[in-house]
């Protein structure tokens, strides 16, 4: 079975933590607990790795507003994952360690980071160029480059899936590929 251990700010004492499986087309709650002494622990059994979303509800009376909940993504398999939350920045930042599938996913994301970073930089230039400066030629060239990068990223995901058909990472990436507009 899996174990998901969390370390969060003690000011979240008593807050609800719910773990949802999000890879089946709808959110399915698979375990829940409350924060005690700045920690939480979720456990269960999974037949296959699952793409999950951990949600910490900061307001027990409002579970719908994005402002009153904090979330983190995790790819769970039958191992232990530890989640640590750092709240020193503008937004809470989660660091996940452990879990074979989670570690493999994080490694894949690190490999894709240069392409995703370049995509983000180009997109930040595209919007003002095309829409605000009315530079159609420059905007179209940036759009072409964005499309090329998007295709490269999609291709890397598909290649990973083809190379690792039994991997939990492939299961997670498959959802992203199927949700992709060009897929």
């Amino acid at each position: 079975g899996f174990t998901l251990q969390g370390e969060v700010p003690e000011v979240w004492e008593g807050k609800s933590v719910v773990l949802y499986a999000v890879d089946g087309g709808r959110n399915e709650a698979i375990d829940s607990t409350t924060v005690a002494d700045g920690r939480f622990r979720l456990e269960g059994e999974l037949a296959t790795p699952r793409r999950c979303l951990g949600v910490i509800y900061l307001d027990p009376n409002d579970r719908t507003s994005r402002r009153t909940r904090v979330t983190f993504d995790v790819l769970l398999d039958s191992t232990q994952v530890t989640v640590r939350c750092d709240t020193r920045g503008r937004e809470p930042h989660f660091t996940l360690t452990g879990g074979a599938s989670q570690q493999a996913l994080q490694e894949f994301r690190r490999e894709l980071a240069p392409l995703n970073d370049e995509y983000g930089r180009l997109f930040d230039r595209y919007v003002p160029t095309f829409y605000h400066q009315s530079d159609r030629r420059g905007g179209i060239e940036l759009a072409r480059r964005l499309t090329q990068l998007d295709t490269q990223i999609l291709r890397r995901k598909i290649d990973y899936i083809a190379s690792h058909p039994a991997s939990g990472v492939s299961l997670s990436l498959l959802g992203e590929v199927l949700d992709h507009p060009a897929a």
Side-chain angles (χ1 to χ4, degrees):
F2 73 86
T3 302
L4 181 64
Q5 296 184 147
E7 297 176 15
V8 298
E10 287 190 27
V11 296
W12 294 352
E13 187 74 16
K15 303 302 182 194
S16 295
V17 181
V18 180
L19 181 66
Y20 296 96
V22 295
D23 55 6
R26 61 182 178 88
N27 294 352
E28 169 194 349
I30 57 176
D31 198 12
S32 64
T33 190
T34 57
V35 175
D37 297 322
R39 299 181 186 282
F40 65 84
R41 182 181 180 98
L42 299 161
E43 298 176 305
E45 292 188 22
L46 300 172
T48 61
R50 302 287 307 262
R51 196 173 81 191
C52 296
L53 180 70
V55 181
I56 302 168
Y57 293 101
L58 303 177
D59 181 349
N61 299 316
D62 183 2
R63 288 190 165 208
T64 60
S65 173
R66 292 181 189 259
R67 292 186 316 263
T68 60
R69 64 182 184 206
V70 180
T71 64
F72 59 89
D73 294 309
V74 59
L75 181 59
L76 283 177
D77 52 24
S78 291
T79 57
Q80 180 175 315
V81 175
T82 300
V83 179
R84 289 183 179 85
C85 181
D86 181 358
T87 57
R88 292 177 289 185
R90 287 185 60 209
E91 298 290 326
H93 174 75
F94 291 92
T95 303
L96 288 81
T97 56
S101 294
Q102 178 63 34
Q103 294 301 321
L105 180 60
Q106 287 176 209
E107 178 59 33
F108 181 75
R109 297 268 188 247
R110 276 190 290 277
E111 291 172 13
L112 272 186
L115 291 174
N116 284 322
D117 291 347
E118 185 178 353
Y119 186 95
R121 283 189 301 274
L122 286 176
F123 189 81
D124 288 345
R125 287 179 38 215
Y126 166 75
V127 171
T129 300
F130 190 75
Y131 292 103
H132 302 297
Q133 297 173 2
S134 298
D135 179 359
R136 291 183 55 81
R137 183 172 290 150
I140 290 170
E141 185 51 42
L142 287 169
R144 281 189 184 120
R145 183 65 186 130
L146 285 167
T147 300
Q148 290 170 346
L149 283 169
D150 188 53
T151 300
Q152 278 183 276
I153 292 166
L154 182 62
R155 183 79 250 155
R156 292 242 181 123
K157 290 176 182 180
I158 292 169
D159 289 347
Y160 188 96
I161 293 166
S163 301
H164 305 84
S167 165
V169 174
S170 294
L171 180 65
S172 183
L173 294 176
L174 183 60
E176 293 175 22
V177 168
L178 292 175
D179 286 342
H180 192 276

